[in-house]
Amino acid sequence: MYHIPVLLNESLEGLDLREGGVYVDVTFGGGGHSNEILKRLHRGKLYSFDQDADAAANAETGAEGRTGDSEFRFIAGNFRYLKNWMRYYGETDADDEHPNVDGILADLGVSSHHLDDQSRGFSFRFDSPIDMRMNKRAGKTAADILNEYTEEQLADVFYLYGEVKQARRLASLIARRRQEKAFRTTGDLMEVCDRCLPKERSKKEAAKVFQALRIEVNHEMDALKEMLEAAIKVLKPGGRLAVITYHSLEDRIVKNFIKTGNAQGKTTQDLFGRTDAPLTAVNRKPILPSDEEQGQNPRSRSAKLRVAEKGNTMR
């Protein structure tokens, strides 16, 4: 199995599926959420995004097993281009004055499939080429970043995206080590991590380092912000946005967008004191997986679901 979909029922309930509605799953992955949407959606449309070639293969090979009477279209691309594709398929116009999307679902983070695939370099469980690209056809690999970034740039990546307390020391050790031998595998990086990170928390701290590199390789924070900005444009009034996050950085961005309409969480008001925010939170607090789900699916343990509805521009 590619991976078990997290918060499946809760996220689909958050979308509030409507007959004949238009929905977008911006993170197809193994197709768990998309296939369930198609089972429950009647005479509607579902667009699913994923830039990963493995996900594209899942979309093609799983077509015969899909049920329902709705139209399905897979888009092999990054969800940061959500608005462009919705314009292309006529689900919004050039000026975004007539959006037609009823709901958008995003399950962020890396899937268990990627962590288990030794060739991708997402996990320190294997000594494998340290790649980490979701789209293997483009961009720098994690090895490129380790070998090419300045010491200061590396420290910023580890601190900002992994909240690694030893970020500067780790960056310094990496800069010294690559003068002797270039980084090529996850084992190369772990050798340096073992010299720097606290031994009593070595696995947790190493996971933060790998997370930071993955985020930088795939430009995840920028892509998330662009997707959220696009979601506001393409959702129709009353449309729902459901986002599952796995770490504090992405959750903070989603929370700020829902509250204020921007990633920084800066509130703007009109002359009457009304907040300029196009989304309204459906749930005050994020929805968490049940104890049963956390026991069955370890990936869900850090998951948070936030659901918002598009309303008037001012509130």
Side-chain angles (χ1 to χ4, degrees):
M1 191 171 190
Y2 193 91
H3 76 153
I4 303 171
V6 172
L7 289 162
L8 180 60
N9 290 320
E10 293 88 344
S11 58
L12 267 63
E13 288 172 4
L15 287 179
D16 190 25
L17 299 175
R18 305 171 185 176
E19 183 172 350
V22 177
Y23 295 88
V24 184
D25 178 358
V26 298
T27 47
F28 181 81
H33 287 100
S34 283
N35 290 338
E36 190 63 26
I37 289 172
L38 289 170
K39 288 179 186 177
R40 302 186 191 188
L41 179 64
H42 298 293
R43 292 183 289 277
K45 285 193 262 185
L46 174 65
Y47 298 92
S48 292
F49 283 72
D50 210 298
Q51 63 182 327
D52 185 73
D54 292 345
N58 289 334
E60 183 175 347
T61 57
E64 293 182 1
R66 295 195 182 95
T67 60
D69 54 9
S70 294
E71 178 184 341
F72 172 73
R73 189 180 297 275
F74 179 80
I75 299 169
N78 193 305
F79 61 42
R80 71 195 309 164
Y81 304 117
L82 170 64
K83 185 169 67 172
N84 293 352
W85 281 105
M86 291 303 97
R87 285 178 176 176
Y88 178 79
Y89 285 115
E91 302 301 350
T92 187
D93 56 2
D95 299 320
D96 301 316
E97 293 181 354
H98 303 285
N100 194 43
V101 176
D102 292 278
I104 298 171
L105 171 66
D107 180 5
L108 306 177
V110 64
S111 73
S112 55
H113 164 78
H114 289 125
L115 295 174
D116 292 337
D117 185 345
Q118 297 186 36
S119 68
R120 305 295 292 272
F122 284 101
S123 174
F124 52 77
R125 288 184 291 140
F126 316 105
D127 187 11
S128 57
I130 188 164
D131 191 314
M132 295 194 186
R133 290 173 299 172
M134 294 293 184
N135 181 354
K136 292 187 287 186
R137 301 178 300 276
K140 290 180 180 292
T141 67
D144 292 332
I145 288 172
L146 291 171
N147 291 319
E148 297 173 9
Y149 274 29
T150 66
E151 183 177 325
E152 184 178 359
Q153 286 175 317
L154 285 171
D156 287 344
V157 167
F158 296 136
Y159 183 75
L160 294 174
Y161 295 152
E163 299 178 322
V164 178
K165 293 181 180 179
Q166 299 82 10
R168 291 191 180 281
R169 185 178 174 216
L170 178 60
S172 176
L173 290 174
I174 289 172
R176 280 188 234 164
R177 196 265 189 192
R178 70 190 182 191
Q179 290 178 354
E180 302 172 3
K181 184 180 178 182
F183 285 86
R184 299 189 185 282
T185 69
T186 54
D188 293 338
L189 177 57
M190 284 304 296
E191 286 179 14
V192 179
C193 287
D194 288 341
R195 293 166 52 193
C196 174
L197 303 178
K199 292 184 179 180
E200 64 275 12
R201 308 192 305 274
S202 59
K203 288 186 177 180
K204 285 189 177 181
E205 293 301 311
K208 292 180 181 179
V209 173
F210 275 65
Q211 170 187 290
L213 276 174
R214 190 200 77 228
I215 289 172
E216 178 68 13
V217 165
N218 297 289
H219 309 287
E220 291 180 23
M221 296 300 103
D222 290 336
L224 174 58
K225 293 172 188 176
E226 290 179 35
M227 185 275 289
L228 291 171
E229 290 168 357
I232 292 172
K233 299 287 187 181
V234 304
L235 280 171
K236 63 171 61 171
R240 293 285 185 91
L241 172 67
V243 185
I244 303 170
T245 64
Y246 294 89
H247 58 77
S248 59
L249 299 174
E250 61 192 13
D251 185 61
R252 190 178 306 124
I253 290 173
V254 174
K255 181 180 178 180
N256 285 342
F257 250 97
I258 292 174
K259 185 177 180 180
T260 66
N262 60 75
Q264 296 75 33
K266 295 180 180 179
T267 301
T268 58
Q269 296 179 329
D270 66 2
L271 295 174
F272 302 98
R274 294 177 297 185
T275 301
D276 183 10
L279 298 173
T280 302
V282 173
N283 303 90
R284 283 190 175 183
K285 294 182 179 181
I287 299 168
L288 306 179
S290 65
D291 291 340
E292 181 181 3
E293 178 174 0
Q294 291 184 49
Q296 296 174 347
N297 185 5
R299 180 173 178 262
S300 71
R301 291 171 186 167
S302 59
K304 294 181 180 179
L305 169 64
R306 295 187 184 274
V307 182
E309 183 171 296
K310 183 175 177 180
N312 296 323
T313 303
M314 297 291 184
R315 67 172 187 261

